[in-house]
Amino acid sequence: MHISRNVNPLHISVCLLAAISLLSACSLETAPQQDAPKSTVEAPGELNRDQTQGTLTSWEPINTNLFTIVNNMAETPFGKQLEKDTGIKVKYMHPADGQAKEQFNLLIASNHLPDVIEYDWNSAYPGGPEKAMADQVIIPLNDWIDKKAPNLKKLLQSNKELDKMIKTDSGKYYIFPMVRPDNGLVFRGPMIRKDWLDELGLTVPTTIDEWYTVLKAFKEHKGASAPLTAMYSNELMIQDAFIGAYRTANRYYIDDQGKVKYGPIDPQFKEALTLLRTWYAEGLIDKDFALNNDSKALDNRMLSDSSGATVYLVSGGMGRWMETGRKKNPQFQLVGAPYPTLKKGERAFIGQRDFQYAPVGSKAISAAATNPELAVQWLDYAFSEQGSQLFNFGIKGESYEVINGVPQYTDKMSRSGKYNFQQMISQYTKPNGPFLGDGRKSFNAFPEQEETIRIWEQTDAAKHVMPLFLTPTIEESKEMAKLNTAITSFKEEMFLKFITGVEPLDRFDDYTRRIQEMGVDKVTRIYQDAWDRYNKR
């Protein structure tokens, strides 16, 4: 099989990574840091509407189910109710779907910052939160939380592990956190067309060999042009499915001895690349996977019968596709598949599992905020009892009712006729963001989704996923920023080349040697030190 060396997805990836690196290096000039508050809150947990009149600007991603309906969260029932409850008008700025990272870098480089920014300040900002505060891009929140955020303060006092997660090693709070409930930590993993499996007399695959048999059958007997597909956003987003079968990861991870490792240079990573290369050569993996940089591309693959398997979200993927797919084909069925292993009965080494604190959905207050007190009070509302109900369930009497003391979504959410359940929920709640998630909340409309989560939970991810909220020192962060950008760019360039056959796997040793020369051992040591410090907080 001949593969041209001019692989479009590769050039796209390399150019994109180069652009991100360039933007990340831009100098920053922002407004001076705001003074800390001097007064205390008189009515803990409640908003004083006379003191919260005003306008804020907030940069935040928009839910993928929502952007097909409206362009701005202010137009939704949720946005209108939040304004009504708080008395604060918010002008929302939303990055385009699939372009959040690129547009975040452009925003930071622009020197024109909104009052509030929802993003992952730990991994997205060069140098992390300590550097962002030192650069006066965002402000420390210790005094603000202590004196003007009674709801978050109460939560942190009652949850010491969460308190430990959302501050730096120096003790600085820097965000209002997205807090997941215990039953909301696993939400992404492998899924597969069960109706196809039944038709072909096959069972849900659990091992790498079984996956090969299934994907080959999908291609030969179902005419799937891309039996296995996935999104691509600076890397193949399969959450270490398939790669994890070789007891490694496509990122930094923690091994069985508690030591930080860089998976892409593990000897066994070559075996994972060999597998993916073989599948790609045989047409079992989407040939255009590097172009699938938004959810629309994935929708098209999964709903057009081009693909029969992917790694994606249980609600925003499986639930949405089931609801849409069954309108055309009543037999359409997706089920979760276990994270695959090499041997039958093995427990998966790693998979997707979040921590209680989710950096990616948390909000920081920028140093450019003209009224940080207003921003603090607005953000703290989400942690009040009333605010939590709105963020988790929406508007009482419209999107939910309380039955026997338990909030339950109304028929309006599931029987709209115009929009599916996920789209309706996204208009009335905020599926991700800085608030306390309620374990009673479920966006799952199908029993397959509930079973899927139980399947995906059966991994050792809790032992091996490295937290995204570690906070290296400013000096460590500078060195990491200098080294990691080049390492990540080169790793991803070679990952694509190895899989597509542009580079032979015989060059794997040269590739690992190059990454070591680029300083990966220094980065690993910094992460190890940060991990050790975190464990001592």
Side-chain angles (χ1 to χ4, degrees):
M1 177 179 177
H2 174 72
I3 299 178
S4 169
R5 298 183 74 88
N6 297 319
V7 180
N8 289 335
L10 176 59
H11 291 305
I12 290 171
S13 174
V14 173
C15 291
L16 179 58
L17 286 164
I20 292 170
S21 300
L22 180 62
L23 284 168
S24 297
C26 292
S27 62
L28 297 166
E29 297 178 7
T30 60
Q33 181 175 310
Q34 300 287 341
D35 292 334
K38 297 179 181 179
S39 61
T40 59
V41 176
E42 296 180 359
E46 298 296 330
L47 274 174
N48 185 331
R49 289 290 302 273
D50 293 334
Q51 297 177 1
T52 59
Q53 300 295 318
T55 300
L56 295 171
T57 53
S58 178
W59 187 96
E60 54 190 86
I62 192 169
N63 185 268
T64 55
N65 289 298
L66 184 58
F67 79 86
T68 58
I69 304 170
V70 296
N71 295 320
N72 197 281
M73 195 153 63
E75 304 170 25
T76 65
F78 168 84
K80 293 174 182 177
Q81 187 66 40
L82 181 60
E83 180 180 338
K84 180 181 177 181
D85 288 351
T86 63
I88 300 170
K89 185 176 183 63
V90 180
K91 297 179 180 178
Y92 296 96
M93 304 160 59
H94 302 302
D97 182 39
Q99 298 179 31
K101 186 170 185 177
E102 293 75 23
Q103 292 188 20
F104 171 82
N105 282 306
L106 289 170
L107 177 74
I108 296 300
S110 73
N111 298 328
H112 298 290
L113 301 180
D115 297 310
V116 173
I117 304 175
E118 179 181 314
Y119 206 59
D120 181 356
W121 290 93
N122 295 76
S123 61
Y125 188 85
E130 285 279 15
K131 186 68 165 57
M133 287 184 281
D135 288 342
Q136 294 189 2
V137 173
I138 62 176
I139 63 173
L141 298 174
N142 295 54
D143 286 341
W144 289 111
I145 291 174
D146 184 43
K147 297 173 181 176
K148 291 293 182 181
N151 299 301
L152 178 59
K153 179 180 178 179
K154 180 180 179 182
L155 174 63
L156 297 180
Q157 288 175 335
S158 65
N159 189 332
K160 295 304 181 183
E161 190 63 28
L162 176 64
D163 181 77
K164 176 179 167 181
M165 291 178 181
I166 72 163
K167 57 190 176 187
T168 65
D169 290 325
S170 65
K172 293 177 184 174
Y173 298 105
Y174 55 97
I175 42 79
F176 277 75
M178 175 175 173
V179 185
R180 296 190 185 280
D182 289 342
N183 61 353
L185 304 182
V186 175
F187 48 83
R188 182 192 294 260
M191 61 186 77
I192 195 162
R193 285 284 296 270
K194 179 66 162 53
D195 52 320
W196 285 9
L197 292 175
D198 291 345
E199 182 183 334
L200 298 170
L202 298 169
T203 58
V204 175
T206 62
T207 67
I208 293 296
D209 287 344
E210 289 173 354
W211 268 94
Y212 176 77
T213 299
V214 165
L215 294 177
K216 199 168 181 62
F218 283 1
K219 180 177 179 60
E220 294 175 352
H221 302 296
K222 294 301 300 179
S225 58
L228 173 66
T229 190
M231 271 188 66
Y232 185 90
S233 180
N234 305 310
E235 69 171 43
L236 184 60
M237 297 178 67
I238 56 175
Q239 299 302 129
D240 295 319
F242 310 108
I243 293 173
Y246 298 90
R247 302 188 68 78
T248 184
N250 191 24
R251 65 202 78 252
Y252 295 93
Y253 70 96
I254 298 168
D255 70 7
D256 289 331
Q257 286 71 48
K259 300 300 181 183
V260 177
K261 295 285 187 69
Y262 187 56
I265 61 171
D266 282 343
Q268 64 269 35
F269 196 80
K270 182 179 180 181
E271 298 177 58
L273 287 173
T274 301
L275 173 79
L276 296 176
R277 165 67 193 130
T278 300
W279 286 6
Y280 182 90
E282 295 189 21
L284 305 184
I285 296 178
D286 191 343
K287 293 281 187 177
D288 296 324
F289 70 83
L291 298 177
N292 297 339
N293 57 9
D294 61 32
S295 60
K296 289 181 181 178
L298 208 55
D299 290 348
N300 181 58
R301 290 285 193 274
M302 293 303 295
L303 293 173
S304 67
D305 291 345
S306 298
S307 299
T310 190
V311 180
Y312 202 49
L313 304 170
V314 69
S315 291
M318 177 181 283
R320 186 156 51 90
W321 295 329
M322 288 269 281
E323 193 160 354
T324 303
R326 285 189 172 178
K327 291 178 181 178
K328 183 176 68 173
N329 173 13
Q331 303 305 314
F332 186 99
Q333 185 183 21
L334 286 165
V335 296
Y339 276 83
T341 57
L342 290 181
K343 296 179 182 178
K344 196 82 171 174
E346 280 184 327
R347 186 173 174 88
F349 176 75
I350 198 168
Q352 180 273 321
R353 184 180 179 86
D354 259 27
F355 293 81
Q356 191 177 23
Y357 161 45
V360 73
S362 302
K363 277 190 169 85
I365 298 176
S366 82
T370 55
N371 191 344
E373 180 175 343
L374 189 70
V376 168
Q377 291 176 323
W378 180 66
L379 291 167
D380 190 57
Y381 175 71
F383 294 89
S384 69
E385 183 176 351
Q386 182 183 13
S388 178
Q389 293 290 305
L390 173 62
F391 277 73
N392 282 286
F393 301 105
I395 302 172
K396 188 175 182 180
E398 292 188 41
S399 60
Y400 80 98
E401 294 285 4
V402 177
I403 301 174
N404 296 325
V406 179
Q408 295 185 19
Y409 295 117
T410 62
D411 288 346
K412 179 179 179 178
M413 297 296 99
S414 58
R415 299 178 184 176
S416 157
K418 185 176 181 181
Y419 302 115
N420 63 35
F421 178 76
Q422 305 297 334
Q423 290 172 320
M424 288 298 295
I425 288 295
S426 69
Q427 295 180 71
Y428 281 86
T429 71
K430 197 172 191 307
N432 295 301
F435 62 92
L436 177 61
D438 192 315
R440 299 171 298 176
K441 175 180 65 178
S442 174
F443 294 155
N444 299 332
F446 300 93
E448 289 91 340
Q449 292 173 279
E450 298 295 340
E451 178 60 24
T452 288
I453 293 172
R454 288 190 284 271
I455 291 170
W456 291 346
E457 286 177 336
Q458 304 307 308
T459 75
D460 282 336
K463 299 177 184 177
H464 299 123
V465 172
M466 192 175 74
L468 295 176
F469 45 76
L470 300 182
T471 56
T473 66
I474 292 178
E475 291 73 23
E476 289 172 337
S477 295
K478 286 180 181 177
E479 186 166 22
M480 284 178 60
K482 180 176 65 178
L483 299 175
N484 233 355
T485 299
I487 290 169
T488 302
S489 178
F490 177 69
K491 184 277 295 185
E492 192 56 30
E493 177 186 349
M494 293 302 293
F495 183 90
L496 286 171
K497 285 182 175 180
F498 284 139
I499 290 178
T500 59
V502 172
E503 288 285 359
L505 282 162
D506 290 345
R507 288 204 58 204
F508 184 80
D509 289 345
D510 295 334
Y511 146 85
T512 57
R513 190 160 40 248
R514 173 77 182 278
I515 288 181
Q516 288 168 331
E517 291 170 354
M518 296 170 85
V520 73
D521 290 342
K522 293 181 181 178
V523 177
T524 302
R525 185 172 63 251
I526 290 171
Y527 274 130
Q528 184 70 57
D529 290 343
W531 173 237
D532 292 341
R533 287 196 303 270
Y534 172 78
N535 286 326
K536 293 177 182 177
R537 284 184 190 173

